[in-house]
Amino acid sequence: MTDPIQTFSLAQRPDLLSAYVNLDIPWPAFVEPTRLLVEWGLHAHADHQLIMLDGDTPIARAASLPLHWDGDPQTLPRRGWDGVIEQSAIDTYNGAELNTLCALEAGIDTGHTGRGLSQTVFTALRDHAREAGFEHFIAPVRPSGKTQYPEMPIEDYVQRRRDDGQRADNWLRIHERIGGRIIALSPTSMTITAPLETWTAWTGEPFTTTGLTTIPGGIAPVFVNTDLDYAVYIEPNVWVRHQLTDAPTTEGSRS
């Protein structure tokens, strides 16, 4: 009989901080861990950083930050993922009412992928948001399947569905399956800039021509400027809201 998967926050198990940080989550190289795991957040909001154990083995983590939000899709952080980090820091230090929990990552260690754990991990974070008394639970979702369609506008991509009516994108399908609803798009959710040498190290691409080019693992093109020896990647995400109560709410634009 296998041990059940247990979930702890870093506030409950600070001894697991190293294991949490060092899980091998399969992100593209250009999405660096320093961007995903906000150091101040690990300490300032350790109660909202979850780690999952299978027996004594760390297998997954869920990162999130609290902020203030009035529930209107029009007032979501304009810069999506990057904006959440900035607003959470400002709201925390200003003593604002932190009524919203925003998921930033639900990642499975590479040694434990293929077990259907993605839904389990995200559901655990949603349940944590409910138990912690948050009014809203949101996520700027990275539609991972868009790596196959990097040049497709995000507005068109989110409309794609399979023959059975479910969303074509795996992550958006998981969110919808457990009650998540798209309330807005975030065209500029994550911005990554670096010299071309760094981009080559990340992707193996030469970057010899100025203009837009696609990269392995990218869900949008990268703009390359050979004169400035720099490239900029601006990633779109999809704002998804999960209901924490049975009370009806007014959703934003759905697709």
Side-chain angles (χ1 to χ4, degrees), residues 195-233:
L196 299 185
E197 181 180 8
T198 302
W199 278 104
T200 295
W202 282 338
T203 67
E205 301 297 317
F207 300 104
T208 56
T209 305
T210 292
L212 291 173
T213 186
T214 58
I215 54 172
I219 68 172
V222 173
F223 179 75
V224 177
N225 190 314
T226 56
D227 292 334
L228 297 178
D229 189 34
Y230 231 67
V232 179
Y233 172 79

mmCIF file of all heavy atoms in Angstrom, residues 195-233:
data_model
loop_
_atom_site.group_PDB
_atom_site.id
_atom_site.type_symbol
_atom_site.label_atom_id
_atom_site.label_comp_id
_atom_site.label_asym_id
_atom_site.label_seq_id
_atom_site.Cartn_x
_atom_site.Cartn_y
_atom_site.Cartn_z
ATOM 1 N N PRO A 195 20.935 39.613 -23.321
ATOM 2 C CA PRO A 195 21.832 39.670 -24.477
ATOM 3 C C PRO A 195 21.677 38.415 -25.335
ATOM 4 O O PRO A 195 21.268 37.357 -24.843
ATOM 5 C CB PRO A 195 23.223 39.747 -23.839
ATOM 6 C CG PRO A 195 22.994 40.232 -22.447
ATOM 7 C CD PRO A 195 21.656 39.684 -22.038
ATOM 8 N N LEU A 196 22.046 38.532 -26.600
ATOM 9 C CA LEU A 196 21.880 37.403 -27.516
ATOM 10 C C LEU A 196 22.708 36.197 -27.097
ATOM 11 O O LEU A 196 22.287 35.049 -27.301
ATOM 12 C CB LEU A 196 22.248 37.835 -28.940
ATOM 13 C CG LEU A 196 21.392 38.961 -29.538
ATOM 14 C CD1 LEU A 196 21.778 39.199 -30.994
ATOM 15 C CD2 LEU A 196 19.905 38.621 -29.433
ATOM 16 N N GLU A 197 23.852 36.428 -26.518
ATOM 17 C CA GLU A 197 24.682 35.308 -26.056
ATOM 18 C C GLU A 197 23.939 34.481 -25.012
ATOM 19 O O GLU A 197 24.007 33.243 -25.010
ATOM 20 C CB GLU A 197 25.993 35.841 -25.471
ATOM 21 C CG GLU A 197 26.938 34.750 -24.987
ATOM 22 C CD GLU A 197 28.228 35.319 -24.407
ATOM 23 O OE1 GLU A 197 28.330 36.545 -24.236
ATOM 24 O OE2 GLU A 197 29.139 34.508 -24.127
ATOM 25 N N THR A 198 23.207 35.172 -24.139
ATOM 26 C CA THR A 198 22.444 34.467 -23.110
ATOM 27 C C THR A 198 21.299 33.686 -23.729
ATOM 28 O O THR A 198 21.028 32.538 -23.366
ATOM 29 C CB THR A 198 21.906 35.460 -22.075
ATOM 30 O OG1 THR A 198 23.002 36.170 -21.493
ATOM 31 C CG2 THR A 198 21.128 34.745 -20.985
ATOM 32 N N TRP A 199 20.616 34.320 -24.708
ATOM 33 C CA TRP A 199 19.517 33.626 -25.386
ATOM 34 C C TRP A 199 20.023 32.383 -26.119
ATOM 35 O O TRP A 199 19.351 31.347 -26.153
ATOM 36 C CB TRP A 199 18.816 34.561 -26.364
ATOM 37 C CG TRP A 199 17.812 35.458 -25.703
ATOM 38 C CD1 TRP A 199 17.945 36.778 -25.407
ATOM 39 C CD2 TRP A 199 16.509 35.076 -25.238
ATOM 40 N NE1 TRP A 199 16.812 37.256 -24.786
ATOM 41 C CE2 TRP A 199 15.909 36.237 -24.674
ATOM 42 C CE3 TRP A 199 15.779 33.891 -25.254
ATOM 43 C CZ2 TRP A 199 14.627 36.227 -24.125
ATOM 44 C CZ3 TRP A 199 14.501 33.871 -24.709
ATOM 45 C CH2 TRP A 199 13.942 35.037 -24.144
ATOM 46 N N THR A 200 21.215 32.471 -26.703
ATOM 47 C CA THR A 200 21.791 31.313 -27.388
ATOM 48 C C THR A 200 22.069 30.196 -26.390
ATOM 49 O O THR A 200 21.809 29.014 -26.661
ATOM 50 C CB THR A 200 23.084 31.714 -28.114
ATOM 51 O OG1 THR A 200 22.763 32.640 -29.159
ATOM 52 C CG2 THR A 200 23.757 30.503 -28.736
ATOM 53 N N ALA A 201 22.579 30.565 -25.217
ATOM 54 C CA ALA A 201 22.840 29.556 -24.184
ATOM 55 C C ALA A 201 21.541 28.899 -23.726
ATOM 56 O O ALA A 201 21.500 27.695 -23.456
ATOM 57 C CB ALA A 201 23.557 30.200 -23.006
ATOM 58 N N TRP A 202 20.483 29.684 -23.648
ATOM 59 C CA TRP A 202 19.192 29.155 -23.208
ATOM 60 C C TRP A 202 18.553 28.236 -24.230
ATOM 61 O O TRP A 202 17.933 27.232 -23.884
ATOM 62 C CB TRP A 202 18.227 30.309 -22.937
ATOM 63 C CG TRP A 202 18.431 31.029 -21.642
ATOM 64 C CD1 TRP A 202 19.054 30.563 -20.524
ATOM 65 C CD2 TRP A 202 17.986 32.359 -21.337
ATOM 66 N NE1 TRP A 202 19.029 31.526 -19.536
ATOM 67 C CE2 TRP A 202 18.379 32.626 -20.002
ATOM 68 C CE3 TRP A 202 17.289 33.349 -22.045
ATOM 69 C CZ2 TRP A 202 18.094 33.843 -19.372
ATOM 70 C CZ3 TRP A 202 17.016 34.550 -21.425
ATOM 71 C CH2 TRP A 202 17.413 34.798 -20.094
ATOM 72 N N THR A 203 18.668 28.603 -25.515
ATOM 73 C CA THR A 203 17.877 27.932 -26.557
ATOM 74 C C THR A 203 18.682 27.158 -27.592
ATOM 75 O O THR A 203 18.118 26.329 -28.310
ATOM 76 C CB THR A 203 17.020 28.963 -27.317
ATOM 77 O OG1 THR A 203 17.893 29.833 -28.059
ATOM 78 C CG2 THR A 203 16.174 29.798 -26.359
ATOM 79 N N GLY A 204 19.975 27.468 -27.721
ATOM 80 C CA GLY A 204 20.785 26.841 -28.756
ATOM 81 C C GLY A 204 20.632 27.487 -30.115
ATOM 82 O O GLY A 204 21.226 27.030 -31.102
ATOM 83 N N GLU A 205 19.839 28.561 -30.206
ATOM 84 C CA GLU A 205 19.620 29.259 -31.477
ATOM 85 C C GLU A 205 20.697 30.322 -31.693
ATOM 86 O O GLU A 205 21.187 30.921 -30.735
ATOM 87 C CB GLU A 205 18.240 29.908 -31.487
ATOM 88 C CG GLU A 205 17.081 28.932 -31.309
ATOM 89 C CD GLU A 205 16.994 27.937 -32.454
ATOM 90 O OE1 GLU A 205 17.143 28.364 -33.620
ATOM 91 O OE2 GLU A 205 16.785 26.746 -32.194
ATOM 92 N N PRO A 206 21.070 30.627 -32.962
ATOM 93 C CA PRO A 206 22.159 31.580 -33.223
ATOM 94 C C PRO A 206 21.761 33.055 -33.132
ATOM 95 O O PRO A 206 22.591 33.905 -32.837
ATOM 96 C CB PRO A 206 22.582 31.224 -34.655
ATOM 97 C CG PRO A 206 21.341 30.653 -35.277
ATOM 98 C CD PRO A 206 20.651 29.907 -34.183
ATOM 99 N N PHE A 207 20.513 33.414 -33.425
ATOM 100 C CA PHE A 207 20.033 34.798 -33.366
ATOM 101 C C PHE A 207 20.929 35.747 -34.177
ATOM 102 O O PHE A 207 21.533 36.680 -33.643
ATOM 103 C CB PHE A 207 19.941 35.278 -31.913
ATOM 104 C CG PHE A 207 19.002 34.472 -31.067
ATOM 105 C CD1 PHE A 207 19.494 33.549 -30.149
ATOM 106 C CD2 PHE A 207 17.631 34.603 -31.208
ATOM 107 C CE1 PHE A 207 18.627 32.788 -29.385
ATOM 108 C CE2 PHE A 207 16.753 33.846 -30.439
ATOM 109 C CZ PHE A 207 17.271 32.935 -29.532
ATOM 110 N N THR A 208 20.967 35.528 -35.468
ATOM 111 C CA THR A 208 21.834 36.328 -36.344
ATOM 112 C C THR A 208 21.071 37.366 -37.154
ATOM 113 O O THR A 208 21.675 38.162 -37.870
ATOM 114 C CB THR A 208 22.589 35.402 -37.315
ATOM 115 O OG1 THR A 208 21.643 34.618 -38.057
ATOM 116 C CG2 THR A 208 23.537 34.488 -36.564
ATOM 117 N N THR A 209 19.740 37.367 -37.052
ATOM 118 C CA THR A 209 18.924 38.272 -37.867
ATOM 119 C C THR A 209 17.981 39.069 -36.983
ATOM 120 O O THR A 209 17.321 38.524 -36.095
ATOM 121 C CB THR A 209 18.094 37.476 -38.888
ATOM 122 O OG1 THR A 209 18.968 36.660 -39.676
ATOM 123 C CG2 THR A 209 17.330 38.425 -39.812
ATOM 124 N N THR A 210 17.907 40.372 -37.256
ATOM 125 C CA THR A 210 16.978 41.224 -36.524
ATOM 126 C C THR A 210 15.540 40.914 -36.941
ATOM 127 O O THR A 210 15.250 40.737 -38.125
ATOM 128 C CB THR A 210 17.279 42.706 -36.780
ATOM 129 O OG1 THR A 210 18.541 43.020 -36.178
ATOM 130 C CG2 THR A 210 16.202 43.613 -36.177
ATOM 131 N N GLY A 211 14.655 40.854 -35.966
ATOM 132 C CA GLY A 211 13.249 40.603 -36.252
ATOM 133 C C GLY A 211 12.680 39.557 -35.314
ATOM 134 O O GLY A 211 13.322 39.142 -34.339
ATOM 135 N N LEU A 212 11.457 39.121 -35.608
ATOM 136 C CA LEU A 212 10.784 38.119 -34.783
ATOM 137 C C LEU A 212 11.239 36.718 -35.165
ATOM 138 O O LEU A 212 11.365 36.393 -36.350
ATOM 139 C CB LEU A 212 9.270 38.232 -34.944
ATOM 140 C CG LEU A 212 8.605 39.477 -34.354
ATOM 141 C CD1 LEU A 212 7.134 39.526 -34.759
ATOM 142 C CD2 LEU A 212 8.732 39.499 -32.831
ATOM 143 N N THR A 213 11.463 35.891 -34.166
ATOM 144 C CA THR A 213 11.829 34.508 -34.418
ATOM 145 C C THR A 213 11.247 33.640 -33.318
ATOM 146 O O THR A 213 11.028 34.095 -32.191
ATOM 147 C CB THR A 213 13.367 34.327 -34.463
ATOM 148 O OG1 THR A 213 13.679 32.992 -34.849
ATOM 149 C CG2 THR A 213 14.001 34.606 -33.109
ATOM 150 N N THR A 214 10.946 32.389 -33.637
ATOM 151 C CA THR A 214 10.410 31.478 -32.637
ATOM 152 C C THR A 214 11.552 30.723 -31.959
ATOM 153 O O THR A 214 12.635 30.568 -32.544
ATOM 154 C CB THR A 214 9.432 30.476 -33.261
ATOM 155 O OG1 THR A 214 10.102 29.743 -34.302
ATOM 156 C CG2 THR A 214 8.234 31.212 -33.865
ATOM 157 N N ILE A 215 11.296 30.265 -30.743
ATOM 158 C CA ILE A 215 12.318 29.577 -29.968
ATOM 159 C C ILE A 215 11.721 28.319 -29.335
ATOM 160 O O ILE A 215 10.514 28.251 -29.089
ATOM 161 C CB ILE A 215 12.880 30.478 -28.845
ATOM 162 C CG1 ILE A 215 11.740 31.010 -27.968
ATOM 163 C CG2 ILE A 215 13.710 31.612 -29.423
ATOM 164 C CD1 ILE A 215 12.209 31.759 -26.731
ATOM 165 N N PRO A 216 12.540 27.313 -29.067
ATOM 166 C CA PRO A 216 12.048 26.109 -28.397
ATOM 167 C C PRO A 216 11.478 26.462 -27.025
ATOM 168 O O PRO A 216 12.111 27.164 -26.235
ATOM 169 C CB PRO A 216 13.306 25.245 -28.262
ATOM 170 C CG PRO A 216 14.247 25.751 -29.317
ATOM 171 C CD PRO A 216 13.971 27.218 -29.426
ATOM 172 N N GLY A 217 10.271 25.991 -26.759
ATOM 173 C CA GLY A 217 9.647 26.235 -25.471
ATOM 174 C C GLY A 217 8.920 27.557 -25.358
ATOM 175 O O GLY A 217 8.258 27.823 -24.351
ATOM 176 N N GLY A 218 8.994 28.388 -26.384
ATOM 177 C CA GLY A 218 8.333 29.684 -26.349
ATOM 178 C C GLY A 218 6.893 29.588 -26.799
ATOM 179 O O GLY A 218 6.583 28.871 -27.756
ATOM 180 N N ILE A 219 6.006 30.322 -26.157
ATOM 181 C CA ILE A 219 4.615 30.356 -26.613
ATOM 182 C C ILE A 219 4.335 31.634 -27.390
ATOM 183 O O ILE A 219 3.201 31.886 -27.776
ATOM 184 C CB ILE A 219 3.627 30.197 -25.434
ATOM 185 C CG1 ILE A 219 3.654 31.399 -24.507
ATOM 186 C CG2 ILE A 219 3.914 28.910 -24.661
ATOM 187 C CD1 ILE A 219 2.552 31.352 -23.448
ATOM 188 N N ALA A 220 5.381 32.409 -27.623
ATOM 189 C CA ALA A 220 5.309 33.612 -28.447
ATOM 190 C C ALA A 220 6.677 33.808 -29.087
ATOM 191 O O ALA A 220 7.677 33.245 -28.602
ATOM 192 C CB ALA A 220 4.918 34.824 -27.595
ATOM 193 N N PRO A 221 6.764 34.582 -30.163
ATOM 194 C CA PRO A 221 8.068 34.840 -30.770
ATOM 195 C C PRO A 221 8.932 35.742 -29.887
ATOM 196 O O PRO A 221 8.452 36.418 -28.977
ATOM 197 C CB PRO A 221 7.715 35.550 -32.087
ATOM 198 C CG PRO A 221 6.264 35.282 -32.306
ATOM 199 C CD PRO A 221 5.663 35.154 -30.944
ATOM 200 N N VAL A 222 10.218 35.743 -30.176
ATOM 201 C CA VAL A 222 11.176 36.640 -29.537
ATOM 202 C C VAL A 222 11.551 37.721 -30.547
ATOM 203 O O VAL A 222 11.732 37.435 -31.740
ATOM 204 C CB VAL A 222 12.453 35.880 -29.118
ATOM 205 C CG1 VAL A 222 13.517 36.836 -28.606
ATOM 206 C CG2 VAL A 222 12.130 34.852 -28.059
ATOM 207 N N PHE A 223 11.647 38.975 -30.071
ATOM 208 C CA PHE A 223 12.120 40.036 -30.959
ATOM 209 C C PHE A 223 13.614 40.190 -30.753
ATOM 210 O O PHE A 223 14.091 40.489 -29.657
ATOM 211 C CB PHE A 223 11.433 41.371 -30.706
ATOM 212 C CG PHE A 223 11.957 42.466 -31.612
ATOM 213 C CD1 PHE A 223 11.587 42.507 -32.950
ATOM 214 C CD2 PHE A 223 12.858 43.406 -31.140
ATOM 215 C CE1 PHE A 223 12.086 43.484 -33.811
ATOM 216 C CE2 PHE A 223 13.367 44.391 -31.985
ATOM 217 C CZ PHE A 223 12.976 44.423 -33.326
ATOM 218 N N VAL A 224 14.359 40.003 -31.844
ATOM 219 C CA VAL A 224 15.818 40.051 -31.814
ATOM 220 C C VAL A 224 16.303 41.349 -32.440
ATOM 221 O O VAL A 224 15.832 41.749 -33.505
ATOM 222 C CB VAL A 224 16.414 38.850 -32.580
ATOM 223 C CG1 VAL A 224 17.936 38.925 -32.614
ATOM 224 C CG2 VAL A 224 15.933 37.539 -31.978
ATOM 225 N N ASN A 225 17.247 42.020 -31.794
ATOM 226 C CA ASN A 225 17.897 43.207 -32.356
ATOM 227 C C ASN A 225 19.398 42.961 -32.336
ATOM 228 O O ASN A 225 20.046 43.043 -31.294
ATOM 229 C CB ASN A 225 17.554 44.452 -31.544
ATOM 230 C CG ASN A 225 18.011 45.732 -32.217
ATOM 231 O OD1 ASN A 225 19.142 45.805 -32.690
ATOM 232 N ND2 ASN A 225 17.141 46.727 -32.256
ATOM 233 N N THR A 226 19.935 42.619 -33.513
ATOM 234 C CA THR A 226 21.358 42.297 -33.586
ATOM 235 C C THR A 226 22.229 43.533 -33.401
ATOM 236 O O THR A 226 23.373 43.423 -32.930
ATOM 237 C CB THR A 226 21.694 41.616 -34.922
ATOM 238 O OG1 THR A 226 21.271 42.457 -36.013
ATOM 239 C CG2 THR A 226 20.989 40.265 -35.039
ATOM 240 N N ASP A 227 21.722 44.712 -33.766
ATOM 241 C CA ASP A 227 22.503 45.944 -33.572
ATOM 242 C C ASP A 227 22.729 46.226 -32.091
ATOM 243 O O ASP A 227 23.807 46.668 -31.681
ATOM 244 C CB ASP A 227 21.794 47.137 -34.216
ATOM 245 C CG ASP A 227 21.756 47.048 -35.736
ATOM 246 O OD1 ASP A 227 22.660 46.380 -36.299
ATOM 247 O OD2 ASP A 227 20.826 47.603 -36.342
ATOM 248 N N LEU A 228 21.699 45.964 -31.290
ATOM 249 C CA LEU A 228 21.803 46.189 -29.849
ATOM 250 C C LEU A 228 22.279 44.950 -29.102
ATOM 251 O O LEU A 228 22.512 45.005 -27.895
ATOM 252 C CB LEU A 228 20.447 46.624 -29.287
ATOM 253 C CG LEU A 228 19.883 47.957 -29.805
ATOM 254 C CD1 LEU A 228 18.522 48.226 -29.184
ATOM 255 C CD2 LEU A 228 20.857 49.107 -29.491
ATOM 256 N N ASP A 229 22.426 43.826 -29.831
ATOM 257 C CA ASP A 229 22.841 42.568 -29.225
ATOM 258 C C ASP A 229 21.910 42.171 -28.086
ATOM 259 O O ASP A 229 22.343 41.761 -27.006
ATOM 260 C CB ASP A 229 24.288 42.671 -28.710
ATOM 261 C CG ASP A 229 24.840 41.307 -28.271
ATOM 262 O OD1 ASP A 229 24.470 40.300 -28.903
ATOM 263 O OD2 ASP A 229 25.600 41.266 -27.289
ATOM 264 N N TYR A 230 20.600 42.291 -28.346
ATOM 265 C CA TYR A 230 19.617 42.024 -27.307
ATOM 266 C C TYR A 230 18.381 41.395 -27.916
ATOM 267 O O TYR A 230 18.085 41.581 -29.101
ATOM 268 C CB TYR A 230 19.217 43.339 -26.613
ATOM 269 C CG TYR A 230 19.300 43.278 -25.111
ATOM 270 C CD1 TYR A 230 20.530 43.153 -24.461
ATOM 271 C CD2 TYR A 230 18.147 43.334 -24.318
ATOM 272 C CE1 TYR A 230 20.613 43.101 -23.078
ATOM 273 C CE2 TYR A 230 18.215 43.286 -22.931
ATOM 274 C CZ TYR A 230 19.455 43.168 -22.324
ATOM 275 O OH TYR A 230 19.535 43.100 -20.946
ATOM 276 N N ALA A 231 17.641 40.651 -27.103
ATOM 277 C CA ALA A 231 16.365 40.079 -27.541
ATOM 278 C C ALA A 231 15.358 40.186 -26.407
ATOM 279 O O ALA A 231 15.716 40.125 -25.223
ATOM 280 C CB ALA A 231 16.527 38.623 -27.959
ATOM 281 N N VAL A 232 14.088 40.356 -26.784
ATOM 282 C CA VAL A 232 13.009 40.528 -25.824
ATOM 283 C C VAL A 232 11.904 39.514 -26.116
ATOM 284 O O VAL A 232 11.465 39.370 -27.259
ATOM 285 C CB VAL A 232 12.418 41.953 -25.889
ATOM 286 C CG1 VAL A 232 11.276 42.106 -24.888
ATOM 287 C CG2 VAL A 232 13.496 42.998 -25.632
ATOM 288 N N TYR A 233 11.483 38.833 -25.067
ATOM 289 C CA TYR A 233 10.396 37.855 -25.158
ATOM 290 C C TYR A 233 9.253 38.349 -24.290
ATOM 291 O O TYR A 233 9.434 38.622 -23.096
ATOM 292 C CB TYR A 233 10.895 36.497 -24.664
ATOM 293 C CG TYR A 233 9.841 35.422 -24.522
ATOM 294 C CD1 TYR A 233 9.380 34.717 -25.632
ATOM 295 C CD2 TYR A 233 9.342 35.080 -23.269
ATOM 296 C CE1 TYR A 233 8.426 33.707 -25.498
ATOM 297 C CE2 TYR A 233 8.400 34.069 -23.120
ATOM 298 C CZ TYR A 233 7.949 33.388 -24.238
ATOM 299 O OH TYR A 233 7.021 32.387 -24.105
#
